[in-house]
Amino acid sequence: MPTVNPESQSRIGFLYESGWEKRVFTDKPYNPKNYIFRGFFMPVYETMNKNYAASAQAQEDKKCIRRVLKLASKGRGSVHPNPMVGCVIVKNGRAIAEGYHQYPGGPHAEIVALRKAKDKNISLKNATMYVNLEPCCHHKKKTPPCVPEIIKSRVKRVVMAMRDPNPQVRGKGIKELQAAGIECIIGMHEQEAKELNKFYVKWITKGIPYVLMKWAMSLDGKIAARTGDAKWISCPEAREYVHKMRAGVDAVLVGIGTVLKDNPKLTVRLGEIEGTVPDLWRTNRIFRQYKNPIRVIIDPGLKISPEAKVIGPEAKTIIFHHRLNIKAKLELLNNNNCKTVYLQKNKNGTMDFKQIMRFLGGQNISSVLIEGGGNTNARALNSGVVDEVFAFISPKIIGGENAITPVEGNGISKIGQATRLKDIKIEKIGCDFLLSGKLQRGNSKGAGINQCSQE
């Protein structure tokens, strides 16, 4: 079977392991003698030179994409709902410019890097541009498309970690670059790139936010003593970690029970947790200027007090309720950096989490961190909106049959109905342990209530 020259200018590359081979998409005319599969979003599949993986060029590409991913991550918490994107431009084996997207409406990573190269009066002819996401080519947004500028720069190659899942872009940016004679390679560190922008990927493809759920519990699975006291189950380092999580999401969600019992602020207070030490998150310029996440309160009966700490100038607050004929209170709340949203009860007499997430997605909220109590957690899991769980486990034993657990509700009747996690990670945070994992979709049922939709 013929091979493809790795330096071919007409190649659209999509690299992945397949035994001893590497495969790429190409725009060459289809010939059944040369091709083994016709792709559905690119013209054809072709076997590539199997020596590429061990070549110096491939190792350089991987190294540069790793740098790009690190650069992109600097935009965490400040670019949403846009994706985090980094860019490195290399010529003659030397990085000559780099950049990353810093805020919505600001220049994209590619433009930042191109401008830096221009400021240095460096010709980009025969240079390689590395990005973690396919460059944009659409116009219906705040900034001009990047592809025309890349073409003008005369770079020879563009190496991308993944396609942009945005329907307005997917594959189109690649085609425009290829039509201009620029070699495009896709798929280098693709899984890492998708994980980095998992919030964006879900929001741009489904219109709803990526949902994280967090709780802190004792070794015997309690989130509070039988009296309701919960300060503090987790250690200072674990609580600081939670503030980092808040700094990286668009919204934090709790139920009215948590608001009435704990009166939390739900803001980012990095460096203010007693018992922690300074770190880069605290001194990083972006996070010093970071805007607090939107606070989302599930309050069916609108019991919240206008004096609650979750209402105020520090951050916007959205309250979901289904109360009528309370115009005076609604006006008071809505005039205090707060938005009240009326939702009808579902057939179970509770708030519909799927409807809530659709509303939040429509507000350009791409990620939500649920920090609720046992009942809020159970309803969210039962609705199937949760994507990932973070459980902080403290080496303490609380006991008590009336002490609440992280997931309340009616529970399941068979262990086989339990919701399962995948991609499990365990790490030590101070004296606590953090167990995290993504919810399996499809086969598992049950999430603390009778049934759990895993759609």
Side-chain angles (χ1 to χ4, degrees):
M1 186 172 292
T3 59
V4 177
N5 182 353
E7 300 302 324
S8 170
Q9 281 230 319
S10 64
R11 185 173 82 250
I12 290 183
F14 176 60
L15 308 182
Y16 71 101
E17 295 290 348
S18 177
W20 294 101
E21 298 178 342
K22 289 281 186 176
R23 298 188 177 186
V24 298
F25 287 103
T26 175
D27 65 329
K28 294 181 179 179
Y30 177 69
N31 183 332
K33 294 181 179 180
N34 295 339
Y35 301 96
I36 58 177
F37 179 72
R38 180 178 287 274
F40 67 92
F41 52 89
M42 290 293 171
V44 288
Y45 236 0
E46 182 175 327
T47 303
M48 193 182 76
N49 190 334
K50 63 183 180 182
N51 295 322
Y52 173 79
S55 69
Q57 183 63 68
Q59 300 311 308
E60 177 69 15
D61 290 347
K62 290 180 181 179
K63 177 182 176 182
C64 291
I65 288 293
R66 286 195 293 267
R67 173 59 182 164
V68 162
L69 291 169
K70 186 174 181 180
L71 281 170
S73 68
K74 291 185 176 183
R76 190 183 305 277
S78 63
V79 302
H80 301 160
N82 288 354
M84 294 176 276
V85 182
C87 177
V88 173
I89 301 176
V90 174
K91 185 174 182 180
N92 298 328
R94 183 173 64 91
I96 57 177
E98 62 181 31
Y100 68 97
H101 184 43
Q102 297 187 35
Y103 58 92
H108 289 188
E110 301 93 323
I111 303 303
V112 173
L114 288 172
R115 288 175 179 174
K116 287 183 178 180
K118 184 178 180 180
D119 290 342
K120 297 177 181 178
N121 293 318
I122 299 176
S123 170
L124 297 184
K125 185 177 181 180
N126 295 326
T128 297
M129 174 180 284
Y130 296 88
V131 287
N132 58 297
L133 189 71
E134 174 185 359
C136 63
C137 58
H138 59 306
H139 294 265
K140 294 182 179 180
K141 55 190 181 69
K142 296 179 180 179
T143 56
C146 295
V147 167
E149 297 302 316
I150 296 172
I151 293 173
K152 289 179 186 177
S153 74
R154 301 178 69 191
V155 298
K156 180 181 180 180
R157 303 168 70 234
V158 177
V159 180
M160 312 164 221
M162 63 176 286
R163 287 179 178 79
D164 189 338
N166 185 342
Q168 298 183 67
V169 179
R170 182 174 174 83
K172 297 172 185 173
I174 297 168
K175 288 182 178 180
E176 288 188 21
L177 291 170
Q178 184 193 26
I182 297 175
E183 178 186 354
C184 297
I185 297 179
I186 311 170
M188 196 74 73
H189 290 295
E190 183 178 27
Q191 291 307 311
E192 293 95 323
K194 288 182 176 179
E195 178 66 19
L196 176 69
N197 274 314
K198 58 189 176 185
F199 298 168
Y200 169 75
V201 170
K202 183 179 180 184
W203 177 74
I204 201 68
T205 57
K206 298 185 178 181
I208 56 177
Y210 190 97
V211 180
L212 310 171
M213 177 176 285
K214 159 265 166 185
W215 65 71
M217 68 181 185
S218 62
L219 193 60
D220 57 336
K222 308 295 184 180
I223 62 173
R226 58 181 174 81
T227 59
D229 178 56
K231 295 185 178 180
W232 294 103
I233 288 179
S234 55
C235 66
E237 293 83 358
R239 300 200 299 277
E240 179 89 346
Y241 190 101
V242 171
H243 283 273
K244 293 178 182 179
M245 292 179 68
R246 289 180 184 175
V249 298
D250 295 337
V252 176
L253 183 150
V254 298
I256 185 59
T258 297
V259 174
L260 296 177
K261 181 170 70 71
D262 299 334
N263 196 21
K265 291 183 179 179
L266 300 181
T267 54
V268 177
R269 300 187 300 282
L270 290 167
E272 299 180 23
I273 305 299
E274 184 178 354
T276 58
V277 296
D279 61 17
L280 292 177
W281 280 71
R282 216 161 304 159
T283 57
N284 182 285
R285 178 179 61 83
I286 289 179
F287 282 96
R288 287 206 307 270
Q289 301 175 357
Y290 184 78
K291 184 171 66 175
N292 286 309
I294 295 172
R295 300 172 288 197
V296 180
I297 314 300
I298 310 300
D299 184 10
L302 209 62
K303 298 177 181 178
I304 193 168
S305 167
E307 305 300 321
K309 291 181 180 179
V310 292
I311 297 176
E314 299 89 354
K316 293 181 179 179
T317 302
I318 299 175
I319 303 174
F320 290 95
H321 70 97
H322 52 229
R323 281 288 304 276
L324 296 173
N325 302 320
I326 45 173
K327 183 177 180 180
K329 188 170 186 178
L330 289 175
E331 289 181 351
L332 182 60
L333 292 170
N334 290 330
N335 290 331
N336 198 8
N337 204 26
C338 186
K339 180 182 181 67
T340 56
V341 180
Y342 174 83
L343 289 182
Q344 292 184 339
K345 299 179 182 178
N346 60 20
K347 61 183 180 180
N348 297 320
T350 59
M351 307 291 274
D352 187 338
F353 267 88
K354 289 186 177 180
Q355 190 175 358
I356 289 170
M357 294 306 160
R358 285 194 293 270
F359 177 89
L360 295 178
Q363 300 295 305
N364 291 338
I365 293 175
S366 65
S367 56
V368 175
L369 172 62
I370 297 179
E371 295 191 46
N375 286 317
T376 296
N377 290 347
R379 293 190 183 104
L381 286 165
N382 184 65
S383 70
V385 302
V386 179
D387 295 289
E388 199 166 350
V389 169
F390 291 77
F392 293 87
I393 304 170
S394 174
K396 301 172 183 176
I397 298 174
I398 294 176
E401 62 181 357
N402 294 323
I404 59 176
T405 62
V407 183
E408 294 283 292
N410 295 327
I412 57 175
S413 58
K414 299 288 185 179
I415 294 299
Q417 298 173 324
T419 296
R420 299 178 183 276
L421 302 181
K422 63 179 181 179
D423 300 336
I424 304 297
K425 297 178 183 178
I426 300 176
E427 56 184 307
K428 196 170 186 295
I429 309 291
C431 62
D432 295 347
F433 286 90
L434 170 60
L435 187 152
S436 61
K438 298 178 181 178
L439 271 70
Q440 289 187 6
R441 302 297 184 187
N443 295 330
S444 300
K445 288 188 177 182
I449 306 186
N450 294 332
Q451 293 181 345
C452 177
S453 171
Q454 297 292 330
E455 297 175 358

